[in-house]
Amino acid sequence: AQRVTQPEKLLSVFKGAPVELKCNYSYSGSPELFWYVQYSRQRLQLLLRHISRESIKGFTADLNKGETSFHLKKPFAQEEDSAMYYCALQGAQKLVFGQGTRLTINP
Amino acid sequence: EPEVTQTPSHQVTQMGQEVILRCVPISNHLYFYWYRQILGQKVEFLVSFYNNEISEKSEIFDDQFSVERPDGSNFTLKIRSTKLEDSAMYFCASSSTGREKSQYFGPGTRLLVL
């Protein structure tokens, strides 16, 4: 079964501090993993996908197959990073989402 | 940059009524999806559509639901007889091919069933 777990519903950090949003997954095959971000009253936007290994808005995420994790990291948080973040796994076609983490950056 | 669009943004309906939610996927995309998010819960997959037929559906997508691509641009989700528990945010998404799996989402339609 495909499952994505984001253990933190809420995460609050100060501006300039490092951020790590946790994501663990369960999948028997080779997963493709994504991070989506949803800013207030906006659509879900693709932030990162693990196969591209790119950095977007200073965020990076590394797939750790041993720990079945895909944590999202940023070394220095900015106030505009405040948003809802969803980790998602894709097997064949459908995306399976985690519950999401609401990140708040305090000034 | 092209985007997925959805109409209406909000819909209020009476229980038992039919609703049609509309989506215009990104123009060169071939795979289309519907997801829903009940308030306070996670985003859940409903159905995927490719080559004019359903390619995958979830347990949620029962006989009350149907999808259609009536023309070259629109992709619709119909709920035949709405229930209170159908109240949710409905998201449409599209992707270009099976290999390029990144799905791009529309802004959603908030459906309220009274």
Side-chain angles (χ1 to χ4, degrees), chain A residues 4-73:
Chain A
V4 176
T5 303
Q6 293 179 250
E8 303 138 329
K9 279 194 171 179
L10 302 170
L11 183 63
S12 183
V13 301
F14 285 102
K15 177 182 170 182
V19 174
E20 182 179 47
L21 292 99
K22 291 184 167 51
C23 172
N24 288 90
Y25 67 90
S26 173
Y27 184 62
S28 55
S30 293
E32 291 202 35
L33 285 145
F34 302 82
W35 276 99
Y36 281 84
V37 59
Q38 188 174 33
Y39 300 103
S40 180
R41 299 185 183 186
Q42 295 187 26
R43 70 184 67 209
L44 284 161
Q45 297 176 34
L46 178 63
L47 182 63
L48 282 178
R49 48 188 177 132
H50 89 271
I51 56 172
S52 63
R53 301 187 62 82
E54 55 192 342
S55 172
I56 303 291
K57 299 185 179 182
F59 285 98
T60 58
D62 289 317
L63 178 62
N64 185 323
K65 290 188 178 180
E67 295 183 0
T68 59
S69 69
F70 188 56
H71 303 327
L72 183 68
K73 299 177 184 178

Side-chain angles (χ1 to χ4, degrees), chain B residues 94-107:
Chain B
S94 67
S95 64
S96 58
T97 69
R99 285 185 180 273
E100 172 49 51
K101 290 186 175 180
S102 299
Q103 295 182 22
Y104 296 87
F105 283 76

